[in-house]
Amino acid sequence: MKRVTNREEINDREQKLHALKEVLKKFPRENYEVFKYVISHLNKVSHHSRVNLMTSENLSICFWPTLMRPDFSTMDALTATRIYQTIIELFIHQCPFFFYNRPIVEPPGATPGSPSALPAGPPFLSSTPGIAHPSPPQTPPPSPQSPLQPLLPPQLQAEQHTL
């Protein structure tokens, strides 16, 4: 019974994604291209979430008001904010499906070891597919330095650190 329920959920999810893809086809060409560009960029940013902490959910929270342009003068827009945010999150997460004719990306809770559960890098944005990207660093990046720092003599570099 659980398998049937999961399959129904998948079909329902797939139907929703296909319905959103149909909505995209109704965009004016210029709007479609700009939306594709923005969502593709946000998708690429989300692939570095281990370092930048910007998951598709976090990005959607930041960008849905700009992309959806709700009318906040009515209560309807205020009550639908989670729905709008979820739609933008789907566009970001499913970018390959919506814009590059790739299969639907499995949700984060997919069965480990299945082909769909493998981390999906953005091969549709890469000029050299199949090249492995290095793992993100586990330590925070170093503090920024002044562009003049390497040009200073060593004794002045030491003095600048004490300032």
Side-chain angles (χ1 to χ4, degrees):
M1 179 71 171
K2 187 169 182 144
R3 279 191 152 165
V4 172
T5 305
N6 287 342
R7 185 66 190 154
E8 288 172 4
E9 288 175 12
I10 289 172
N11 285 336
D12 184 43
R13 182 173 152 270
E14 287 178 11
Q15 289 172 352
K16 289 176 187 176
L17 292 172
H18 283 286
L20 283 172
K21 196 170 190 175
E22 289 301 313
V23 169
L24 281 176
K25 291 179 182 178
K26 296 176 184 176
F27 279 26
R29 191 74 189 147
E30 295 83 6
N31 294 33
Y32 174 86
E33 291 299 326
V34 169
F35 191 66
K36 176 182 174 181
Y37 184 84
V38 170
I39 294 297
S40 295
H41 176 71
L42 295 177
N43 177 270
K44 189 174 181 179
V45 169
S46 75
H47 284 286
H48 300 283
S49 64
R50 284 187 178 161
V51 175
N52 63 24
L53 303 179
M54 294 306 288
T55 62
S56 55
E57 180 182 11
N58 289 343
L59 289 163
S60 67
I61 290 168
C62 295
F63 285 94
W64 81 261
T66 301
L67 297 171
M68 300 292 276
R69 303 211 31 149
D71 178 12
F72 285 117
S73 65
T74 67
M75 284 302 289
D76 292 338
L78 294 175
T79 57
T81 56
R82 179 66 182 151
I83 294 168
Y84 293 147
Q85 183 260 318
T86 302
I87 291 169
I88 296 302
E89 181 179 356
L90 274 173
F91 278 120
I92 295 169
H93 188 71
Q94 296 293 340
C95 175
F97 168 73
F98 287 120
F99 300 109
Y100 300 96
N101 296 318
R102 300 283 201 246
I104 294 172
V105 178
E106 291 299 316
T111 306
S114 69
S116 59
L118 296 175
F124 55 90
L125 295 176
S126 175
S127 59
T128 53
I131 301 231
H133 297 285
S135 299
Q138 297 300 318
T139 57
S143 302
Q145 291 183 355
S146 163
L148 299 177
Q149 184 74 19
L151 302 175
L152 294 175
Q155 57 273 42
L156 289 179
Q157 286 180 10
E159 287 178 19
Q160 190 171 11
H161 286 296
T162 59
L163 293 177

